[in-house]
Amino acid sequence: MTIAPVQRTGSTAWTDARLILALEEVVEQELNRHLKVAKEWMPHEYIPWSQGRDFDGVLGGEAWAVEQSQVTQLGRVSLVVNLLTEDNLPSYHHEIATMFGREGAWGTWVHRWTAEEGRHGIALRDYLLATRAVDPVALERARMDHMSAGFESDNAHSMLQSVAYVAFQELATRISHRNTGHFAGDPLCEQLLAKIANDENLHMVFYRNLLRAALELAPDQAMAAIRDVVTEFRMPGHGMPGFERAAAQIALGGVYNLRIHHDDVLQPVLRHLKVMEVDGLGPDGRQAQEELGLFMVGLDAQATRFDERQAALLARRAANAARK
């Protein structure tokens, strides 16, 4: 593999434009690898269309009621959060197309990623409506509110931070989909979300490998980008209506919480990239590496406190249920 001439003369040597050009060959290689391993799947095959029937309204069907679906309350909340996150795909596409461009290997990847992500929202909405898992009116109003607000990445100012963010975020999304399926109470839903989670995992591998190349090319800048992303990480759906309340239910239910974030998202990527073992860093890179290490220690402690609070709350709930 050859990349543009490596110049380790300081962080100011690598502008976003130079990094995008220097990483073009890596993007092409990762794109080719992705296309070889990605398997085609059809969203419509995972939707139980036979369960579908008219809703009230123009067609005069049956009004929605919560007892019409076998999906659990936790699964319902998490599915809606996951779907509304996917719904903002037009904004995500705009963000990465503006950052990475629409030409060459970068552009091909941007469009391929968007196409693969698009089927996630299609499949999730079709499943939720066909199985009557959620109130369709509330879902549509939430979609309108969320998309009308748009999405602006915390990392749009930096190409390296954008790459670092999606390396972690794609894995976080994979974990969220996988665990949602596990807790949904419907084997078909779990099967559908496993397909979506597999897509997200392949996307994570693409960006993680790209981040590895960036660490080799511009180690100080990449290390600083990783530190900034990890310490300020937010899921892309954070701006949706009622996100905080839904996130609390999702955390308590074990779909996605601090412990999962630390153990199953941040640590695997950091270990794979051997971020804490990178040497030859300049002063800025070493400081970023040290700050990252300290943050991870603190996050682990926070996760332990969350684990204890979660266990205590669940125990109280179980005791109250037993007394009834």
Side-chain angles (χ1 to χ4, degrees):
M1 179 183 71
T2 58
I3 28 187
V6 177
Q7 297 182 11
R8 302 180 187 274
T9 57
S11 60
T12 56
W14 290 105
T15 63
D16 282 355
R18 289 194 65 235
L19 282 165
I20 289 171
L21 179 62
L23 291 168
E24 176 88 20
E25 186 174 340
V26 180
V27 171
E28 183 176 4
Q29 290 178 353
E30 288 302 313
L31 172 63
N32 291 336
R33 181 200 54 75
H34 176 84
L35 294 175
K36 287 179 181 178
V37 299
K39 291 182 172 57
E40 181 183 61
W41 63 279
M42 298 298 164
H44 71 273
E45 295 180 356
Y46 295 87
I47 309 303
W49 301 106
S50 60
Q51 295 182 25
R53 56 192 187 275
D54 295 342
F55 286 98
D56 57 334
V58 176
L59 297 178
E62 182 182 3
W64 179 82
V66 68
E67 61 271 11
Q68 293 168 353
S69 171
Q70 65 178 322
V71 172
T72 63
Q73 172 62 18
L74 175 60
R76 184 176 298 111
V77 171
S78 190
L79 280 162
V80 169
V81 168
N82 290 355
L83 174 56
L84 293 181
T85 300
E86 300 285 356
D87 276 336
N88 250 339
L89 182 60
S91 290
Y92 307 149
H93 175 84
H94 172 76
E95 291 269 344
I96 65 171
T98 300
M99 174 62 69
F100 301 141
R102 296 173 175 82
E103 305 297 329
W106 281 104
T108 302
W109 167 254
V110 165
H111 295 303
R112 173 72 187 203
W113 175 88
T114 302
E116 291 182 357
E117 288 287 343
R119 66 186 169 202
H120 300 167
I122 292 170
L124 285 172
R125 178 166 281 100
D126 286 347
Y127 171 82
L128 291 175
L129 296 181
T131 63
R132 292 181 169 245
V134 300
D135 180 348
V137 174
L139 181 65
E140 175 60 11
R141 287 172 176 166
R143 185 190 70 85
M144 287 295 295
D145 288 345
H146 188 40
M147 292 192 68
S148 295
F151 172 82
E152 183 176 356
S153 171
D154 295 332
N155 309 289
H157 62 286
S158 166
M159 177 269 184
L160 280 176
Q161 283 194 206
S162 296
V163 171
Y165 176 76
V166 288
F168 294 103
Q169 179 267 321
E170 292 283 4
L171 181 53
T173 306
R174 171 207 165 193
I175 297 295
S176 178
H177 283 306
R178 185 198 68 187
N179 288 347
T180 297
H182 177 70
F183 288 108
D186 178 5
L188 180 60
C189 181
E190 185 168 13
Q191 191 176 4
L192 169 61
L193 289 175
K195 299 298 292 187
I196 294 175
N198 186 63
D199 280 356
E200 303 290 8
N201 192 62
L202 292 179
H203 298 164
M204 178 276 293
V205 172
F206 178 95
Y207 287 118
R208 186 193 64 192
N209 292 350
L210 188 58
L211 184 57
R212 180 199 294 119
L215 266 170
E216 296 173 357
L217 194 65
D220 287 339
Q221 285 175 265
M223 187 65 69
I226 293 170
R227 174 205 56 200
D228 292 344
V229 164
V230 169
T231 57
E232 301 294 336
F233 186 88
R234 296 195 295 176
M235 291 293 275
H238 61 82
M240 70 180 60
F243 179 78
E244 290 77 11
R245 187 170 187 270
Q249 296 177 61
I250 288 169
L252 182 61
V255 173
Y256 198 95
N257 53 41
L258 274 180
R259 176 52 64 198
I260 293 170
H261 183 62
H262 177 276
D263 291 359
D264 298 339
V265 177
L266 298 183
Q267 285 285 29
V269 175
L270 294 174
R271 280 198 302 264
H272 184 88
L273 297 176
K274 299 181 179 179
V275 169
M276 302 311 297
E277 300 171 30
V278 174
D279 56 14
L281 297 168
D284 291 343
R286 287 195 300 272
Q287 179 178 348
Q289 190 180 50
E290 291 170 2
E291 291 174 352
L292 177 62
L294 290 172
F295 175 82
M296 291 300 294
V297 170
L299 185 64
D300 185 41
Q302 291 180 48
T304 297
R305 290 193 293 272
F306 170 82
D307 292 341
E308 294 168 350
R309 291 195 299 270
Q310 179 190 38
L313 180 57
L314 292 177
R316 287 197 299 272
R317 288 185 176 179
N320 290 337
R323 285 194 291 268
K324 291 181 180 180

